[in-house]
Amino acid sequence: MTDGAPPLSAVQLDRIAWRRRQSIRSILVAAASTAVLGVLLVVAVTGAPGWDRVRQSFLDPTIAADALPDILRGLWLNVRLLVFCAVGSLALGLVIALLRTLRGPVFFPVRALATSYTYTFRGLPLIIVIYVLTLGVPGLRLQGMPSVLVLGGLALVLTYSGYLAEVFRAGIESVHPSQVAAARSLGLTYRQAMRHVVLPQAVRRVAPPLLNDTVALQKDVGLVSLAGPIDAVRAAQISTAEHFNYTPYIVAGVLFVLLAIPLIAVTDWVTLRAARRQASR
Amino acid sequence: MTAVLSCQGVRKLFGPSVVLDGLDLDVAEHEVVALIGASGSGKSTLLRCVNLLEDLDDGTIHLDGAHITDPRINPDLVRRKIGIVFQAYNLFPHLSVLDNITLAPVRVHKRPAASARSQALALLDRIGLASKAAAFPDRLSGGQQQRVAIVRALVNSPRLLLLDEVTSALDPELVGEVLDLIRDLKADGMTMVLATHEMTFARQVADRVCFLDAGRILEQGSPEQVLDNPVEARTQQFLRRLAPA
Ligand SMILES: Nc1ncnc2c1ncn2[C@@H]1O[C@H](COP(=O)(O)OP(=O)(O)OP(=O)(O)O)[C@@H](O)[C@H]1O
Ligand SMILES: [Mg+2]
């Protein structure tokens, strides 16, 4: 055996050539239909009778340039809050999900608390939690009161960890009971079985929905501006009022989408990978 | 001679239904006992009770003379002396074959990772799967998975191995390789209790066959005795129904 595999047969060579022609053809068809649709859309929008007015009030480049620095400053706040809240609510959500799985009478109060937590914070509108924490709690005038920004972030963590806890719990419950039995029969304690067998499988399985909730969180972090801090949307709102022009909103919207793209791409990739793993079983 | 396993008057209820009704079973050292019986007769339930995965509703189970169904003892310590392999879902899908085997030695017995690895590799070599050490379970055939599961149950050097229909999820041609492994273990003197629907399996490896019916062992004896010349009408009926298949 000097040159590895035997030469391909004529049939296989023909097959390869045919598949290549087919894929070139598909790419060309896709490009052509995209171009046609794009042209139609542009013609329909720019040909509309109110297009000039809309362009002036939503797509003014000088106003966009003027508003950009403030909006970017606001966006930086969104990013920091997102990181803080995502990490916080993932950690808290996992803890609450684990508390809900504890067995034994000693843990009854803990279980009950964890369960009522998920009921309460999934039921309570986020805006109300933010108002209570950022407007109500500072009214207590306690020593060492954290800033409104931290309190707002806390409100987001409280609400989102309620959702994420349920996602984690669904993952934990989706692991087949035989897996726990197999782990216990090897002598692992309940905690060891949870840590080394159940959780790794559960987290892998629910990674796509967890990331999806993180994408949603990215948009909700802006709600802290209700309490004063200026996020990107609030900055756009201020700029809009100054210029009597809606362009800043478009700028903020585009920035949000750009910010979301990496997160959404990661989500899709993780989902795809999870689906592949399932398929290969 | 004290029995390795001794079940006395074992009773197990699921809600109103009595699954085990005062069952007695003694298993001697190096003995291989096959449990047969209709679906739902409680074979799996008995094995799960022995491994303390279920609580008894009455009766006692002793392992090497020690009372293991005493609620005051730590079940985790008992389970380390008993290996169990189920019909399916045995291996941990997120761990490689090697990590599946070394999980308990490293995490439970706190053995150094290197020595656990070499023991695991030796075990894998013995079943001809050393080349699959780094593979994940979903890349293995069903028969290979079950052999790894059996080998994994051996890392704690258990006194007793429980096998619950380990071949019934397998294609017929894969059953043979699992059977060979079990025969090897028998030759090594491993004490085993296995639940099975395959009478040829019971005939080939068991020293004693026990027929479960109505929550008790209705008839027991050597494979020839129970499978070829059953005394009880219920046993005859059960075997007759299997025969055409
Ligand atoms: N966790 C459970 N909750 C309620 N009922 C159960 C449970 N586990 C088993 N049973 C019931 O107990 C009875 C005995 O079940 P078991 O699994 O021990 O039977 P088996 O002899 O192993 O049957 P098979 O040959 O089909 O595996 C069945 O009627 C079953 O429905
Ligand atoms: Mg069974």
Side-chain angles (χ1 to χ4, degrees), chain A residues 42-205:
Chain A
V42 169
V43 168
V45 171
T46 56
W51 167 242
D52 277 333
R53 276 225 340 262
V54 169
R55 193 176 55 181
Q56 272 165 28
S57 51
F58 281 88
L59 297 170
D60 187 324
T62 49
I63 292 178
D66 188 53
L68 191 60
D70 281 346
I71 295 177
L72 276 178
R73 215 169 297 129
L75 197 70
W76 176 230
L77 179 78
N78 289 74
V79 171
R80 280 178 302 159
L81 261 177
L82 173 65
V83 171
F84 169 80
C85 295
V87 172
S89 42
L90 282 169
L92 187 58
L94 180 59
V95 168
I96 289 163
L98 284 175
L99 292 181
R100 282 193 75 175
T101 66
L102 288 179
R103 297 278 158 267
V106 189
F107 298 114
F108 173 79
V110 183
R111 269 200 308 273
L113 266 178
T115 306
S116 40
Y117 181 95
T118 61
Y119 273 69
T120 310
F121 283 102
R122 280 185 306 157
L124 214 52
L126 174 57
I127 295 190
I128 294 179
V129 183
I130 291 179
Y131 275 141
V132 168
L133 258 91
T134 56
L135 305 180
V137 172
L140 298 173
R141 294 168 198 246
L142 293 172
Q143 281 289 305
M145 177 58 62
S147 71
V148 167
L149 189 59
V150 173
L151 287 170
L154 206 60
L156 284 154
V157 169
L158 289 176
T159 299
Y160 268 82
S161 57
Y163 288 104
L164 296 183
E166 288 302 287
V167 176
F168 276 122
R169 194 168 71 100
I172 290 170
E173 282 175 2
S174 77
V175 176
H176 197 276
S178 289
Q179 290 280 304
V180 179
R184 298 302 299 272
S185 72
L186 288 170
L188 273 74
T189 63
Y190 180 79
R191 273 177 55 186
Q192 288 170 327
M194 207 59 180
R195 158 88 180 72
H196 298 293
V197 173
V198 177
L199 270 186
Q201 295 183 54
V203 169
R204 251 162 256 219
R205 242 174 253 183

Side-chain angles (χ1 to χ4, degrees), chain A residues 176 178-179 181-190 192 196-197 200-201 204 277 280-281, chain B residues 51 53 76 79-80 82 84 86 89-94 103-104 107-108 138-139 152 156:
Chain A
H176 197 276
S178 289
Q179 290 280 304
R184 298 302 299 272
S185 72
L186 288 170
L188 273 74
T189 63
Y190 180 79
Q192 288 170 327
H196 298 293
V197 173
Q201 295 183 54
R204 251 162 256 219
R277 278 192 72 88
S280 73
R281 287 202 54 79
Chain B
N51 203 32
L53 293 167
D76 292 323
R79 290 200 193 100
R80 290 172 201 178
I82 304 175
I84 187 166
F86 308 100
Y89 299 111
N90 282 293
L91 298 183
F92 306 130
H94 62 295
L103 179 67
R107 299 295 169 185
V108 177
D138 58 358
R139 298 280 174 241
R152 187 184 65 183
N156 291 338

Side-chain angles (χ1 to χ4, degrees), chain B residues 31-101:
Chain B
E31 193 182 15
V32 177
V33 172
L35 303 175
I36 63 169
S39 184
S41 56
K43 304 180 293 291
S44 303
T45 305
L46 177 60
L47 297 183
R48 293 175 61 86
C49 286
V50 171
N51 203 32
L52 307 184
L53 293 167
E54 303 282 354
D55 289 326
L56 298 191
D57 290 299
D58 204 353
T60 57
I61 300 176
H62 287 77
L63 183 72
D64 281 328
H67 182 195
I68 59 171
T69 43
D70 182 339
R72 281 167 290 257
I73 61 142
N74 180 352
D76 292 323
L77 297 180
V78 174
R79 290 200 193 100
R80 290 172 201 178
K81 297 187 202 152
I82 304 175
I84 187 166
V85 182
F86 308 100
Q87 181 174 341
Y89 299 111
N90 282 293
L91 298 183
F92 306 130
H94 62 295
L95 297 179
S96 70
V97 165
L98 191 69
D99 290 341
N100 259 279
I101 299 175

Side-chain angles (χ1 to χ4, degrees), chain B residues 202-203 206-210 220-229:
Chain B
R203 202 184 288 276
D207 298 311
R208 178 155 52 112
V209 173
C210 298
Q220 57 181 312
S222 71
E224 297 75 34
Q225 207 178 314
V226 176
L227 299 177
D228 299 333
N229 303 299

